[in-house]
Amino acid sequence: QEQLMESGGGLVQAGEFLTLSCGVSGRIFAPLGAGWFRQPPGKARELVATIRRDGSTNYADSVKGRFTISRDNAKNTVSLRLSSLKPEDTAVYYCSVGRFRGDTYFPDSRWGQGTQVTVSS
């Protein structure tokens, strides 16, 4: 049974960094794309970063240059390093796996419980 489990969130001050990790089980991970989403309080879930099976990456404009997505196919994990954090990065962060059609990423995994990132000013 497919399962995604996020970890690594916490409470940090503005300007600090965190590394989030997501373990993927129940699916063959290497051929899939992956992405990190976040849901700020009272707002809709938004896509922040994606990584293709070949390792190429893409980022939302709001996090470009500050966040880095990576994957380890041998360990079935996808990570997100968050640096130069801002209060507006406060959200629950979720990982996903899925597929690309052209430039568009379509997650097709069940959502995990997410991991809370809180950035104080």
Side-chain angles (χ1 to χ4, degrees):
Q1 184 175 357
E2 174 191 276
Q3 186 174 14
L4 280 69
M5 186 166 294
E6 303 91 345
S7 62
L11 172 62
V12 297
Q13 294 187 334
E16 294 184 340
F17 69 91
L18 282 173
T19 300
L20 310 183
S21 183
C22 173
V24 180
S25 60
R27 289 183 74 172
I28 300 173
F29 179 59
L32 300 173
W36 281 93
F37 289 76
R38 68 183 180 186
Q39 187 165 17
K43 297 184 178 180
R45 194 170 297 180
E46 60 181 2
L47 180 63
V48 296
T50 60
I51 186 165
R52 294 178 180 262
R53 59 183 182 179
D54 65 1
S56 58
T57 59
N58 197 37
Y59 300 91
D61 288 343
S62 59
V63 307
K64 199 170 292 184
R66 300 188 298 120
F67 290 11
T68 304
I69 188 172
S70 60
R71 63 189 295 160
D72 185 333
N73 290 340
K75 295 182 179 179
N76 277 16
T77 59
V78 55
S79 299
L80 187 68
R81 179 174 171 88
L82 295 67
S83 60
S84 302
L85 281 162
K86 304 175 182 180
E88 51 263 43
D89 295 319
T90 294
V92 180
Y93 284 72
Y94 301 87
C95 68
S96 69
V97 295
R99 302 183 189 276
F100 286 86
R101 294 184 201 132
D103 292 335
T104 304
Y105 173 67
F106 293 92
D108 62 13
S109 56
R110 297 180 181 181
W111 297 109
Q113 82 287 352
T115 187
Q116 175 71 48
V117 172
T118 303
V119 185
S120 63
S121 56

